[in-house]
């Protein structure tokens, strides 16, 4: 059985998913994918890693990713 962590990013006009070997790598990949797609103040995306989901804006993305990475260690 694989120990991969599934991640996904979903916005109004896009969605992407993948897997990474650690939760930290999965949150990082999701954040890197979401960052350039959050353009306006009202833009929001949903990020999930192994069933744990958070909704973020451009202003909260980096803080949320840092908190999720810290909690996964």
């Amino acid at each position: 059985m694989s120990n991969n962590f599934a991640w996904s990013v979903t916005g109004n006009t896009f969605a992407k998913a993948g897997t990474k070997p650690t939760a930290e790598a999965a949150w990082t990949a999701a954040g890197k994918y979401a960052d350039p797609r959050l353009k306006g103040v009202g833009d929001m995306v949903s990020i999930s890693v192994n069933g744990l989901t958070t909704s973020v804006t451009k202003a909260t993305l980096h803080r949320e990713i840092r908190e999720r990475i810290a909690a996964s260690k």
Side-chain angles (χ1 to χ4, degrees):
M1 184 169 154
S2 175
N3 287 332
N4 284 334
F5 289 79
W7 65 270
S8 66
V9 177
T10 307
N12 287 337
T13 60
F14 61 87
K16 178 148 177 134
T19 59
K20 291 290 181 181
T22 66
E24 179 178 0
W27 284 111
T28 300
K32 285 182 178 179
Y33 182 79
D35 191 29
R37 287 155 183 83
L38 289 165
K39 300 199 185 308
V41 174
D43 285 353
M44 183 173 273
V45 298
S46 177
I47 297 176
S48 296
V49 172
N50 273 17
L52 181 60
T53 303
T54 187
S55 294
V56 297
T57 63
K58 186 77 166 175
T60 63
L61 173 66
H62 296 287
R63 178 179 46 85
E64 284 288 331
I65 295 297
R66 277 193 312 271
E67 289 174 3
R68 299 298 177 161
I69 288 171
S72 72
K73 291 183 178 183

